Amino acid sequence: MLTAEDKKLIQQGWEKASSHQEDFGAEALIRMFTAYPQTKTYFPHFDLSPGSDQIRGHGKKVLNALGNAVKNLDNLSQALSELSNLHAYNLRVDPVNFKLLSQCIQVVLAAHMGKEYTPEMHAAFDKFLSAVSAVLAEKYR
Ligand code: HNI
């Protein structure tokens, strides 16, 4: 459950990320593919070399979707409903992978925001990304 303070920190932190969607998204994906190579199996049709057009394009889409979630913090299930269907029914991504990508996204935010990424902001993003992951995985039940 996100508190009013969490929501404020997420919105504040996202202001920084939103102007670097493509870079941050691509970096998070490369980190995921490098640290957890098993995640590459979902992208056999992609050129997975760092900086490829597909990685950048996909990174931008993922961060854009998170930006949409940030705008709908009180209504995540509805805001992410189509993506939830896509990941469960079409892509069939094993839900364990959401945690892996979430961790990589946090590393990217922390690495780029430095001191601004306070422990409180970290905790707020941790809750937010867990909530997003829960929605993306809820259709598997
Ligand atoms: Ni995910 C497509 C968002 C986690 C594998 N994913 C998308 C799209 C968005 C998106 C947006 C593009 C939809 C469209 O084109 O209509 N994905 C997200 C978000 C998260 C996430 C917000 C979690 C934070 N996806 C994951 C994970 C995996 C994953 C953890 C697998 C490891 N996603 C995919 C694949 C596609 C995809 C595969 C299709 C890519 C393509 O273009 O073919």
Side-chain angles (χ1 to χ4, degrees), residues 16-140:
K16 171 116 185 181
S18 58
S19 48
H20 305 277
Q21 280 189 3
E22 201 168 314
D23 287 339
F24 284 14
E27 186 181 328
L29 289 172
I30 289 298
R31 285 181 182 276
M32 178 177 77
F33 295 140
T34 307
Y36 309 107
Q38 69 274 23
T39 56
K40 293 194 277 190
T41 55
Y42 293 99
F43 297 88
H45 52 307
F46 267 41
D47 169 6
L48 294 182
S49 40
S52 78
D53 287 349
Q54 280 173 313
I55 296 263
R56 294 189 64 80
H58 188 63
K60 190 173 174 181
K61 280 189 203 168
V62 172
L63 276 248
N64 195 40
L66 289 177
N68 181 40
V70 171
K71 289 193 190 119
N72 291 282
L73 291 175
D74 293 321
N75 209 357
L76 286 179
S77 261
Q78 211 178 322
L80 296 169
S81 166
E82 267 182 44
L83 270 187
S84 181
N85 285 335
L86 180 77
H87 285 79
Y89 302 131
N90 297 68
L91 300 169
R92 296 169 189 270
V93 173
D94 186 320
V96 295
N97 294 293
F98 296 120
K99 181 88 197 161
L100 305 181
L101 181 59
S102 296
Q103 279 169 352
C104 293
I105 291 169
Q106 294 228 35
V107 172
V108 173
L109 294 176
H112 289 273
M113 291 174 64
K115 280 195 207 135
E116 275 178 73
Y117 202 66
T118 59
E120 291 76 16
M121 194 178 275
H122 180 147
F125 269 98
D126 197 43
K127 282 196 201 174
F128 167 62
L129 291 166
S130 296
V132 168
S133 298
V135 171
L136 289 187
E138 75 191 4
K139 304 274 168 74
Y140 291 76

